[in-house]
Amino acid sequence: MTEVKRSYDASRRREQARARRLAVVQAARDLFERDGFRRTTIAAVAAHAGVSAESVYKGFGSKAALAKAVFDVVIAGDDEPVPVAERPAMQAIRDEPDVRRKIAMFVDGLVQRQARSARVQILIRDGRHVDDSLAPIWAKLNDEGLTGMTMLGRHLLESGQLRDGIELDEVRDVLWNYLAIDNYERLVLAQGWPLRRYSRWLARAIAGAICP
């Protein structure tokens, strides 16, 4: 009984710690979007989340790392420890036989992720020019994007349905280019395109660049 109780207590503590971490991330997102990166302090995030500033530093290390944690949660849509590439939606893309349909499915998911993450991505992208601590975070986001598009590009190439002579580096770079939040910012946020229109345009643009 003692061992079972200890296991239960440990599990409960882990769930409580996870809930506190998520509360901090949500508080940081609220304040970053309302006040901007520079004006938001760790103390303010801690107060908003109902925890101590010390616990925020202990859990995240820095305000820039906290911004990355916010991005990771909003891009996935939750705090489950499962990479986007390993989630059912990506498996469905791998299972789809038609390459144009694969692209459309990927774009549908991408646009939903961009809708959730646009504000924090733009905050990190633009904030790095006035706060050096965000520069490595932006670089990491780009590296992660390139890695993901390399994996997707390789999968699309393996379908044998892309245009003749195209190689992985071009497929990767085309996908990575359209992954950029700049396109979403200009067409959806600035020009007011509905998500469905943006998604259709993006799918056509990618397919036109890499398919026969």
Side-chain angles (χ1 to χ4, degrees):
M1 290 293 293
T2 302
E3 186 173 340
V4 171
K5 186 175 186 302
R6 285 176 180 169
S7 176
Y8 171 78
D9 288 344
S11 176
R12 185 178 181 184
R13 284 195 296 272
R14 285 194 296 271
E15 287 301 314
Q16 290 172 337
R18 180 178 172 184
R20 285 194 297 271
R21 180 180 176 85
L22 183 58
V24 171
V25 169
Q26 290 173 334
R29 180 185 184 183
D30 291 344
L31 296 182
F32 286 154
E33 292 183 356
R34 189 189 75 187
D35 302 332
F37 183 79
R38 296 191 74 184
R39 291 178 59 192
T40 298
T41 65
I42 291 292
V45 172
H48 197 61
V51 300
S52 69
E54 181 183 0
S55 69
V56 177
Y57 279 112
K58 184 177 181 180
F60 297 90
S62 68
K63 190 167 66 167
L66 182 54
K68 176 61 165 62
V70 171
F71 171 81
D72 288 342
V73 169
V74 297
I75 200 76
D78 56 55
D79 67 332
E80 295 291 333
V82 181
V84 171
E86 297 177 14
R87 295 190 174 214
M90 291 304 295
Q91 184 58 52
I93 291 172
R94 289 189 286 268
D95 292 341
E96 167 60 44
D98 181 74
V99 76
R100 290 178 181 269
R101 180 60 187 152
K102 287 178 185 291
I103 292 168
M105 292 167 68
F106 164 72
V107 167
D108 283 345
L110 169 67
V111 170
Q112 294 303 317
R113 292 191 293 275
Q114 287 183 324
R116 293 193 300 264
S117 67
R119 290 183 182 276
V120 69
Q121 283 198 64
I122 292 167
L123 177 146
I124 295 170
R125 182 199 67 192
D126 295 350
R128 79 191 195 279
H129 298 302
V130 294
D131 192 315
D132 290 344
S133 68
L134 286 174
I137 303 300
W138 181 247
K140 186 171 180 61
L141 296 190
N142 280 314
D143 287 345
E144 290 175 351
L146 271 173
T147 298
M149 294 310 95
T150 300
M151 293 169 59
L152 178 60
R154 183 174 291 111
H155 171 70
L156 296 180
L157 267 177
E158 289 171 352
S159 73
Q161 298 174 52
L162 300 189
R163 61 177 167 80
D164 291 344
I166 196 169
E167 297 184 355
L168 177 59
D169 61 345
E170 183 177 350
V171 180
R172 175 203 63 204
D173 290 350
V174 166
L175 292 169
W176 187 60
N177 177 64
Y178 284 112
L179 174 74
I181 200 62
D182 306 61
N183 296 311
Y184 181 92
E185 180 184 24
R186 290 172 180 173
L187 297 179
V188 177
L189 299 184
Q191 294 302 106
W193 282 25
L195 291 184
R196 183 165 177 78
R197 180 185 179 190
Y198 177 66
S199 182
R200 289 199 303 265
W201 168 80
L202 197 57
R204 287 196 304 268
I206 293 173
I210 64 177
C211 293

